[in-house]
Each structure stands twice: as structure tokens, then as C-alpha cells.
Amino acid sequence: MPTPRPGRPVRGSRSGRPLMAALDLLGRRHALRVLFELRDGALRFRELAARCGDVSPSVLNARLRELRESGLISQDAASGYRLTERGAELGSVLAPLARWSEAWVRKR
């Protein structure tokens, strides 16, 4: 499955609207987990795989490729994978959703 990009049809939308492309990317198995694990700094593949637990190496590689192609993470030989500025910005955008979800659980 190709990396979701605005302007191209994505799962659930033929329009390719940016929001739909973002939701397709972030809704892929383990994509948010990878971003979450990189929030505190760079990790090499094995470290990231250990933190992600049950993610197969092939799925992890696919998510890493998609997130790199989308500009949310970068990779360098010295330190491994890290959030880009855009990836870190996404974390701050998702913080209100995380707070909402915690309140939602408490009210159930």
C-alpha cells in the first residue's frame, strides 16, 4: 500500500484531502506507537522494536518508511530514527486528544 499523500486518493477518501491522508497515515497499525516512542529522542531500529513490543520487523520497517516519506521522522546512521520538526509538531497537536481520551475513560 503506498504512503498516503495529500492530493492522491487514500483509504476512505477519493478526494485526497490533506486531513484524510493524515488520518490514513496515522491510522495504520503501529504508526502512532512509533511516533510516541520517538517523542523523547532518537532510537535505533532494535531499540525501537523492543519498545514497540509485538510489532513485526516487516511492519515496523513499513511504518518507518512511510513516516520518513511523510516527513514526520528522519534517520541518520549515527543516532537512528528521530522526529522531525513536523513530527514533533504533530505530537503537540495530538496532546489535546490524549487529554480528552483520559477524561473520557474517567467518565465511563
Side-chain angles (χ1 to χ4, degrees), residues 14-82:
R14 293 178 188 222
S15 70
R17 290 187 176 131
L19 179 59
M20 296 306 293
L23 291 174
D24 186 9
L25 175 67
L26 298 176
R28 292 185 176 199
R29 285 181 31 214
H30 308 294
L32 285 172
R33 178 67 186 265
V34 169
L35 295 170
F36 179 80
E37 294 300 342
L38 294 175
R39 76 195 181 285
D40 293 327
L43 294 171
R44 295 183 180 280
F45 184 86
R46 288 179 193 245
E47 296 169 319
L48 188 55
R51 289 189 184 195
C52 289
D54 62 344
V55 180
S56 73
S58 62
V59 169
L60 182 56
N61 272 316
R63 291 303 89 83
L64 291 169
R65 179 185 49 76
E66 292 165 350
L67 294 168
R68 276 193 327 267
E69 289 176 0
S70 298
L72 299 178
I73 66 171
S74 63
Q75 176 189 19
D76 70 41
S79 60
Y81 297 93
R82 72 175 60 250

